[in-house]
Amino acid sequence: MKTEIFADKVIISEYDSFDIEETLECGQCFRFFKIAEKHYKIIAHAKELYIYQHEGVTEFYPTTIEEFKDLWVHYFDLERDYTQIKQSLAQNDPVLCKAIEFAGGIRILNQDPFETIISFIVSQNNRIPMIKKVIDNMSRQFGDKLTEDYAFPTLQQFAERSLEEICECKTGFRGKYIMDAVSKISGGLVDLQGFKVKQTTDLKKELMSIYGIGSKVADCILLFSCSRHEVFPTDVWVKRIMSELYLSESATLNDIAKAAAEMFGDKAGFAQQYLFHYARVHNIGK
DNA sequence: GCCCAGGTATAAA
DNA sequence: TTTATACATGGG
């Protein structure tokens, strides 16, 4: 990867496996706005970023240039070799071959764990446009003003709010789940500082101790904010996809889960995202 | 009106 | 252990 630094922007080129549209629109993050084709505004880690891709080149317009190496390189996982990962995923697997062909430019983001916890609580039994709206409501109501938009509220800012105030952001029945998450994190029962060093299985148990966080949401948090690419895709999407593709409709969830485990092994985390795209484009999993 | 959404807690079989 | 249902809200 080649990096060029200018006064107001950073340009990278000679990279592979980075498509901004696929990366943002695949459902792993919610705070972005499409300005034009391959041209987005992103809000993450209390910073705003404009990003623009064209002809094998990516232009970053952060608030300050230092932000690029301090924050955005890690956020977009730019130091990991995705080409090699994709080769290994595609080996002897026709489904992943097709999926990679369809959306080979996805990068698994390194998002803020607290924001990701709250965001994926909001995601349950909900649709992406509504999830984005609820998160935007909470940011506007409770978060700090940035240059143009609002930062996702901090743990402290959430802790100052009542259940009623949180529900006013249209969280629905998930308001009480958010309250429990905030209270457990504030009280240290869920220790965000330990997220970097703990075993994935222990971390998952800790996350699932929060009222309203089950296996699916826990996996999303582990994958999209903690680089735990080995998480097993327990989510109903993948089970349904497996059911459609490989097994009879009468197969139990257990049969499907077992088949998926054999198929993906420790690469399941990446497989989850690719499968999502594959399913969406082929209209599978309804 | 009716159905359902990138799920989960709960009760009941 | 597995299966059915309610849940807030809004869009199709």
Side-chain angles (χ1 to χ4, degrees), chain A residues 165-182:
Chain A
E165 287 173 297
I166 286 169
C167 286
E168 279 168 10
C169 300
K170 305 297 178 189
T171 55
F173 64 91
R174 308 165 196 86
K176 55 185 181 289
Y177 300 158
I178 294 173
M179 290 295 282
D180 190 62
V182 168

Side-chain angles (χ1 to χ4, degrees), chain A residues 48-248:
Chain A
E48 296 161 297
L49 172 75
Y50 284 93
I51 186 164
Y52 174 50
Q53 276 188 334
H54 58 99
E55 296 154 8
V57 168
T58 305
E59 301 190 16
F60 296 80
Y61 295 86
T63 314
T64 66
I65 292 300
E66 291 72 44
E67 263 174 43
F68 176 75
K69 64 173 174 55
D70 294 345
L71 170 58
W72 301 112
V73 169
H74 185 239
Y75 181 79
F76 289 109
D77 209 19
L78 291 177
E79 286 174 331
R80 197 184 304 274
D81 182 356
Y82 277 61
T83 302
Q84 195 187 343
I85 290 165
K86 287 192 294 185
Q87 278 171 0
S88 123
L89 282 175
Q91 239 164 13
N92 304 319
D93 194 321
V95 176
L96 287 185
C97 278
K98 281 191 171 181
I100 290 166
E101 194 182 316
F102 172 66
I106 293 177
R107 283 182 170 265
I108 306 292
L109 299 176
N110 285 110
Q111 300 183 75
D112 174 65
F114 177 66
E115 172 173 342
T116 310
I117 288 170
I118 303 300
S119 297
F120 277 89
I121 286 174
V122 171
S123 82
Q124 72 167 262
N125 205 46
N126 213 342
R127 296 164 198 245
I128 288 181
M130 192 59 193
I131 299 165
K132 290 176 82 168
K133 192 173 285 180
V134 171
I135 293 169
D136 189 59
N137 289 343
M138 293 191 296
S139 301
R140 284 174 189 283
Q141 292 301 311
F142 315 147
D144 291 331
K145 181 91 160 78
L146 303 173
T147 310
E148 295 166 343
D149 285 273
Y150 288 83
F152 189 82
T154 62
L155 173 63
Q156 290 72 24
Q157 285 169 330
F158 267 100
E160 289 165 6
R161 300 299 176 156
S162 66
L163 175 61
E164 193 184 9
E165 287 173 297
I166 286 169
C167 286
E168 279 168 10
C169 300
K170 305 297 178 189
T171 55
F173 64 91
R174 308 165 196 86
K176 55 185 181 289
Y177 300 158
I178 294 173
M179 290 295 282
D180 190 62
V182 168
S183 126
K184 286 208 168 77
I185 296 166
S186 296
L189 262 59
V190 172
D191 174 28
L192 293 187
Q193 303 310 317
F195 270 38
K196 290 188 174 162
V197 293
K198 281 183 183 162
Q199 297 268 102
T200 299
T201 47
D202 296 334
L203 211 44
K204 183 163 178 175
K205 264 183 219 162
E206 204 169 313
L207 285 167
M208 288 178 68
S209 75
I210 294 171
Y211 183 44
I213 292 188
S215 182
K216 156 68 165 66
V217 165
D219 279 350
C220 287
I221 296 163
L222 290 169
L223 181 56
F224 303 139
S225 73
C226 303
S227 289
R228 305 305 173 104
H229 302 146
E230 72 277 23
V231 292
F232 177 72
T234 50
D235 95 56
V236 289
W237 259 101
V238 175
K239 287 173 185 166
R240 288 177 187 170
I241 295 160
M242 291 301 151
S243 169
E244 290 282 340
L245 290 178
Y246 292 104
L247 299 159
S248 71

